[in-house]
Amino acid sequence: MKFAVALAAVASISPAAATIRIQKLEKRELATSPPFYPSPWMDPAAIGWEEAYQKAKDFVSQLTLLEKVNLTTGVGWESEQCVGNIGSIPRLGLRSLCMHDSPAGVRGADYSSVFPSGQTAAATWSRALFYNRGFAMGEEAKGKGVNVLLGPVAGPLGRMPAAGRNWEGFSPDPVLTGVGIAESTKGIQDAGVVACAKHWIGNEQEHFRISSEAQGYGFDISESLSSNIDDKTMHELYMWPFADAVRAGVGSVMCSYQQVNNSYSCQNSKLMNDLLKNELGFQGFIMSDWQAQHTGAAAAAAGLDMSMPGDTVFNSGRSYWGANLTAAVLNGTVPEWRVDDMAMRIMAAIFKVGQTVEQDPINFSFWSQATFGPVHWRAKKGYQQINGHVDVRADHGDLIREIAAKGTVILKNNGALPLKKPKFVVAVGEDAGPNPLGPNGCGDRGCNNGTVALGWGSGTANFPYLVTPDSALQARAIQDRTRYESILSNYATSQIQSLVSLDNVTAIVFVSSDSGESYINVDGNKGDRNNLTLWKNGDDLIKNVSSQCPNTIVVIHSPGPVIVTDWYKNPNITAILWAGFPGQESGNSIVDVLYGSVSPGRTPFSWGANRESYGVDVMYEPNNGKGAPQQDFSEGNFIDYRHFDKANSSLIYEFGYGLSYTSFDYKNIKVEKSNAAAYQPTVGQTSPAPTFGNFSRNPSDYLFPGNASGGAIDPVYLYVYPYLNTTDLQKATTDRNYGQNAAEFLPPNANDGSQQPLLRSSGKSSPGGNAQLYDTLYTVTAEITNTGLVAGDEIPQLYVSLGGPDDPLIVLRGFDRIRIDPGQTVQFKVSLTRRDLSNWDTAIQDWVISSYPKTVYIGRSSRKLELSAALT
Ligand code: NOJ
């Protein structure tokens, strides 16, 4: 019967109408990414890069084409000691350079530290701690021989709270993330290691980031996800923190796996050539994420500078670059200036951070912690000492403890905290104790056993030790003569109930949720969290304890918000703390906050009542047949608090919120207007593309040594080399487009090395964009007094209402973390820049201050704004 109805329905459509419908389905208008060519070349006068450019020029001018290509192409997965290495230049004494994870420590190494996640660092709202964390991580990477540290992270920004890798970055607010990524970059690079701002851009979820990975999970798609982002949202939200990283002098950027507007990020000329290199004036190099490169010459033309890890597919021995790039330059498909620019950008970044041609050796191997082993891990070749077990930790444990404590947020406190020599403490929950498999028992932390101190994936490092909450609380209890017991199971219901129902108990319940990178699936969570609820029966555990104990304190370890709706108002729950992902000193840090010796932080994201309340969510099912899943960022700028404000919906804990052990009074807001000069759109032209040195056009000079030229190289299996196998250039390359006329094969202007116009929004030699965007237009001050009895850190926040009908209600534009003694009054001061007060004008392609009336607000969170003033 149903069948007949369906047939009738079809029959009622005329053949012409049916054709139209099919056409419409097929022609679903997909977002497109406009082309931008040629790829901008380095600017010798760029501020902060002048000396590095000179040194790079001296070095690169000596290189052969093969040596230049060697700088641009990784040697292949597992071919050297780091997660990525490029070829060496033995003739000039440059060893293979090492690109290595992670944004939280030296991944896979021994005798190195595990730092708090970026998100936990963000909760400190402390510029000094962002910098110090970056510097300490840079020192550790340097001590192991790492040249480029693959962090910090501003993508994902945190569009969707369930997205797997939000914890690697800072906050869904672009200003907080911008300060976080800029200060981290400065710290890392001051320690002598090149930082890598990643992932550029729109890498907001794990599902479908790589089509082959998704196929492994049973999804039938042939292309990776496309993040469809409009120009305004791109500038005002997702690019903002990257602009700060570029302005801070970041040496490298990693392009992301997924597509943006249906063009893969690592061959997207709009993203790399236009936005990053032209508009932001980025002078360093762009490396691909691992296997995120999809083409050879086209990626070069679109602005990619380094292929990582160098092979097309791990351990394939094939590369889009290497020999293919050599051949492409020899036949003119890729112009000489482009490969020179790649080499210049890479070497300038290396010199900029103080590194020299002579490098300390790499003294660890990502692939093994054994002392001896093959240096070429995949080929099992070059047996030697691969691990010096160099202890690079110094006193970083103290800093890690401090950051995690100051990044812990007190969400609720009915007088239960701070603890003062309590009579009897009971810690409850698996999240208080150790992983029975050991702190590093799950590869890349890919499990949720015991206390969660970091998420999973490439953003991790090996714990040198992990102080559990249980061990730290017990040590403190012994010191205070407190009675102490713990039950490290979430399911021992009757034992828990009988213990916590005793008199005098302060029960501290530890609960968690977890997320990570999608190559690991933890309990069915393919990177992204499946939900925002607590894992392992956490809600029931809390209800169970709080039903028996009138003094129940909840501590949450999680990669972002969890749903607390059911229990947060329960009067027996006297305190709630969010402890993020604290790193190796977890237990000590939480003790410092619980006992009041450290001032806590403020939440760097909003806590909604349920997952729907966030307005946007992870896409868990493909929506475009076998084609690229289409993720439309149609909410624009309205994520996190901007969304909740627009929807006028209530929040459980708002962005910027957190309690303190003392109280603060805000008064006396003052606005002072500066005499900044009127904005001058940049005009003028670049110089023509420079080339450095000469190279032979004779293919026989490019043969594999030992092949025809009788050289001495004993090739390593599956290693990616720059050499040609034959002088027949047609056969030498595996690129089927090889030998075609570049003008036909590559987009118009791709090979044009003539002078190019400067963009009005770009700077003249000023990384970060037009320098006047950063002129101070107003200085806003307010007075804050500590009206309580103890010293404490206040975290005042400044928000601006830009006033337009399409603007968020308010946007964060300034903050500080200030130590204030009881009775003391301090000044909070924010310089508002032109960018802070502007919108991106898509018509003129520049930042413009609208004529809508603007207001500044100062307060202690995004919804407690006690002071305001008009900007005239
Ligand atoms: C893929 C990840 O997306 C990236 O963040 C990481 O740096 C590389 N793998 C190398 O491990």
Side-chain angles (χ1 to χ4, degrees):
M1 184 60 196
K2 265 188 193 157
F3 187 52
V5 172
L7 269 184
V10 171
S12 69
I13 300 175
S14 72
T19 318
I20 290 167
R21 239 183 64 180
I22 290 164
Q23 275 175 353
K24 266 194 188 153
L25 281 177
E26 280 172 353
K27 274 201 180 161
R28 187 202 144 141
E29 291 247 328
L30 297 185
T32 55
S33 191
F36 187 94
Y37 298 94
S39 187
W41 38 91
M42 276 197 83
D43 173 1
I47 296 162
W49 289 83
E50 307 92 327
E51 202 186 318
Y53 183 94
Q54 262 315 320
K55 287 182 181 165
K57 185 177 166 190
D58 293 345
F59 184 77
V60 171
S61 301
Q62 302 172 56
L63 300 183
T64 65
L65 174 59
L66 289 170
E67 288 166 337
K68 288 171 186 170
V69 169
N70 241 8
L71 287 178
T72 68
T73 308
V75 294
W77 181 243
E78 297 177 313
S79 284
E80 291 281 351
Q81 283 153 281
C82 300
V83 74
N85 283 76
I86 52 171
S88 57
I89 304 184
R91 188 176 65 87
L92 297 176
L94 182 72
R95 69 149 164 80
S96 161
L97 297 180
C98 162
M99 324 299 137
H100 199 69
D101 295 311
S102 79
V106 188
R107 181 181 176 202
D110 55 7
Y111 303 96
S112 58
S113 307
V114 175
F115 289 80
S117 69
Q119 191 182 50
T120 296
T124 68
W125 299 67
S126 163
R127 284 177 176 73
L129 291 178
F130 296 156
Y131 178 88
N132 293 345
R133 175 176 173 273
F135 190 80
M137 290 196 302
E139 281 185 320
E140 297 204 7
K142 176 108 188 139
K144 292 286 185 188
V146 172
N147 301 97
V148 181
L149 187 159
L150 305 177
V153 174
L157 184 68
R159 175 178 184 254
M160 300 144 313
R165 298 180 73 180
N166 290 350
W167 56 272
E168 289 187 45
F170 298 92
S171 160
D173 181 86
V175 169
L176 182 51
T177 290
V179 173
I181 195 169
E183 294 303 314
S184 304
T185 294
K186 289 181 205 160
I188 292 167
Q189 298 199 158
D190 284 354
V193 176
V194 178
C196 178
K198 68 185 189 183
H199 307 84
W200 176 260
I201 197 170
N203 190 171
E204 292 293 320
Q205 69 165 42
E206 291 300 284
H207 278 77
F208 320 128
R209 64 173 190 163
I210 309 172
S211 58
S212 57
E213 184 182 78
Q215 286 157 15
Y217 284 125
F219 295 107
D220 186 16
I221 55 170
S222 54
E223 299 295 339
S224 309
L225 177 98
S226 175
S227 298
N228 301 326
I229 311 178
D230 64 83
D231 191 29
K232 179 175 161 77
T233 307
M234 181 63 92
H235 281 85
E236 294 183 3
L237 193 60
Y238 296 98
M239 257 175 85
W240 183 291
F242 282 99
D244 290 327
V246 171
R247 195 165 140 80
V250 74
S252 68
V253 168
M254 187 188 293
C255 52
S256 57
Y257 280 123
Q258 89 311 326
Q259 311 190 56
V260 172
N261 299 328
N262 291 295
S263 168
Y264 280 97
S265 298
C266 291
Q267 64 192 51
N268 186 316
S269 61
K270 174 72 185 174
L271 295 184
M272 295 192 290
N273 284 346
D274 188 24
L275 297 182
L276 189 54
K277 289 183 173 175
N278 209 18
E279 185 182 324
L280 296 185
F282 173 58
Q283 301 295 318
F285 64 97
I286 305 179
M287 75 173 84
S288 67
D289 200 341
W290 271 232
Q291 302 184 106
Q293 187 182 2
H294 296 267
T295 49
L304 186 70
D305 301 300
M306 183 189 279
S307 167
M308 274 290 131
D311 35 14
T312 52
V313 171
F314 290 168
N315 300 325
S316 63
R318 289 168 164 265
S319 179
Y320 289 111
W321 285 3
N324 280 318
L325 187 55
T326 306
V329 175
L330 284 180
N331 92 328
T333 309
V334 171
E336 181 186 353
W337 59 257
R338 183 70 269 268
V339 85
D340 281 3
D341 183 54
M342 295 176 191
M344 282 294 290
R345 287 172 175 274
I346 293 163
M347 290 314 296
I350 290 291
F351 292 132
K352 183 173 196 299
V353 302
Q355 293 181 26
T356 56
V357 173
E358 199 174 304
Q359 295 270 346
D360 290 334
I362 301 165
N363 60 41
F364 76 108
S365 170
F366 176 54
W367 318 106
S368 165
Q369 288 200 4
T371 307
F372 293 92
V375 68
H376 307 300
W377 185 255
R378 174 63 183 83
K380 298 283 174 269
K381 193 167 184 172
Y383 196 82
Q384 63 178 60
Q385 181 170 352
I386 53 172
N387 190 350
H389 309 289
V390 178
D391 193 332
V392 293
R393 293 171 295 164
D395 56 0
H396 298 161
D398 296 343
L399 175 68
I400 291 167
R401 176 176 181 161
E402 182 188 357
I403 296 170
K406 291 184 172 173
T408 294
V409 184
I410 302 181
L411 298 169
K412 176 177 181 179
N413 182 13
N414 283 357
L417 301 178
L419 299 175
K420 293 208 175 70
K421 295 193 190 243
K423 207 169 165 81
F424 184 11
V425 168
V426 176
V428 181
E430 181 177 323
D431 183 60
N435 177 352
L437 305 175
N440 302 310
C442 309
D444 289 337
R445 313 298 76 79
C447 63
N448 178 331
N449 297 346
T451 196
V452 182
L454 206 61
W456 72 80
S458 67
T460 58
N462 289 334
F463 288 105
Y465 58 79
L466 172 52
V467 181
T468 63
D470 180 42
S471 61
L473 282 168
Q474 172 162 299
R476 177 64 191 237
I478 293 169
Q479 190 188 315
D480 287 350
R481 299 189 179 220
T482 294
R483 179 181 167 192
Y484 181 76
E485 290 191 39
S486 58
I487 300 179
L488 305 178
S489 161
N490 291 6
Y491 301 96
T493 308
S494 59
Q495 289 88 342
I496 292 170
Q497 286 195 344
S498 43
L499 190 62
V500 302
S501 57
L502 296 176
D503 284 345
N504 305 316
V505 168
T506 300
I508 311 180
V509 190
F510 286 85
V511 288
S512 72
S513 81
D514 205 352
S515 74
E517 194 174 341
S518 46
Y519 66 91
I520 301 176
N521 173 346
V522 177
D523 294 339
N525 296 266
K526 304 175 188 85
D528 303 314
R529 286 190 275 170
N530 285 338
N531 49 53
L532 298 183
T533 51
L534 291 168
W535 288 29
K536 297 199 162 184
N537 204 33
D539 289 287
D540 286 346
L541 182 68
I542 293 167
K543 288 175 194 167
N544 183 19
V545 174
S546 57
S547 71
Q548 306 297 316
C549 176
N551 190 13
T552 301
I553 295 167
V554 176
V555 176
I556 303 164
H557 288 120
S558 71
V562 294
I563 303 305
V564 301
T565 310
D566 276 0
W567 45 262
Y568 79 105
K569 279 189 176 155
N570 181 334
N572 280 358
I573 296 178
T574 50
I576 304 173
L577 296 90
W578 177 72
F581 284 161
Q584 70 190 39
E585 291 279 333
S586 175
N588 288 333
S589 303
I590 197 69
V591 163
D592 288 345
V593 179
L594 290 168
Y595 285 79
S597 59
V598 168
S599 287
R602 305 291 183 263
T603 178
F605 48 79
S606 307
W607 297 65
N610 51 53
R611 75 181 296 171
E612 293 74 32
S613 64
Y614 289 88
V616 282
D617 209 340
V618 168
M619 178 193 287
Y620 295 95
E621 293 294 331
N623 64 353
N624 186 27
K626 291 187 190 219
Q630 300 293 310
Q631 189 161 49
D632 298 330
F633 287 36
S634 41
E635 73 289 347
N637 282 326
F638 295 90
I639 63 168
D640 200 76
Y641 67 90
R642 300 153 176 232
H643 157 73
F644 286 96
D645 289 348
K646 185 181 182 192
N648 200 11
S649 59
S650 62
L651 273 161
I652 293 192
Y653 302 117
E654 74 274 13
F655 176 81
Y657 165 84
L659 299 171
S660 157
Y661 288 131
T662 183
S663 51
F664 300 99
D665 192 37
Y666 283 65
K667 58 176 186 298
N668 228 353
I669 188 168
K670 281 194 186 132
V671 178
E672 204 180 294
K673 197 169 178 172
S674 314
N675 287 325
Y679 186 70
Q680 302 289 335
T682 299
V683 290
Q685 293 205 311
T686 68
S687 50
T691 54
F692 303 93
N694 296 306
F695 63 85
S696 149
R697 298 267 166 195
N698 180 355
S700 58
D701 290 338
Y702 294 89
L703 288 176
F704 205 102
N707 187 338
S709 58
I713 285 194
D714 176 14
V716 175
Y717 180 56
L718 295 183
Y719 209 83
V720 176
Y721 292 101
Y723 306 112
L724 306 180
N725 284 330
T726 162
T727 48
D728 178 343
L729 289 181
Q730 189 71 51
K731 284 190 185 145
T733 162
T734 50
D735 186 339
R736 68 192 157 82
N737 292 307
Y738 174 77
Q740 294 192 15
N741 182 347
E744 285 167 23
F745 171 48
L746 291 177
N749 306 326
N751 287 4
D752 181 358
S754 66
Q755 289 184 291
Q756 298 295 316
L758 295 171
L759 298 181
R760 54 176 289 150
S761 60
S762 77
K764 267 216 172 100
S765 307
S766 66
N770 193 319
Q772 283 189 296
L773 294 173
Y774 301 93
D775 285 349
T776 297
L777 301 193
Y778 294 91
T779 304
V780 187
T781 54
E783 283 172 5
I784 304 171
T785 306
N786 182 342
T787 52
L789 298 175
V790 293
D793 295 357
E794 178 58 333
I795 301 177
Q797 299 154 41
L798 181 145
Y799 295 82
V800 173
S801 162
L802 294 171
D806 298 331
D807 289 320
L809 185 67
I810 50 167
V811 286
L812 180 76
R813 287 296 188 251
F815 61 87
D816 204 351
R817 181 177 182 119
I818 318 176
R819 184 86 183 155
I820 314 180
D821 286 328
Q824 190 194 0
T825 298
V826 298
Q827 192 189 56
F828 167 53
K829 182 171 166 184
V830 173
S831 303
L832 284 175
T833 66
R834 181 171 273 112
R835 182 180 66 152
D836 286 333
L837 301 175
S838 297
N839 290 97
W840 179 252
D841 186 318
T842 57
I844 67 161
Q845 290 290 298
D846 206 350
W847 293 93
V848 167
I849 300 181
S850 72
S851 54
Y852 297 108
K854 310 212 177 322
T855 314
V856 284
Y857 299 91
I858 288 178
R860 58 195 89 216
S861 81
S862 61
R863 290 202 169 174
K864 296 202 185 62
L865 298 166
E866 28 260 288
L867 307 177
S868 67
L871 293 179
T872 46

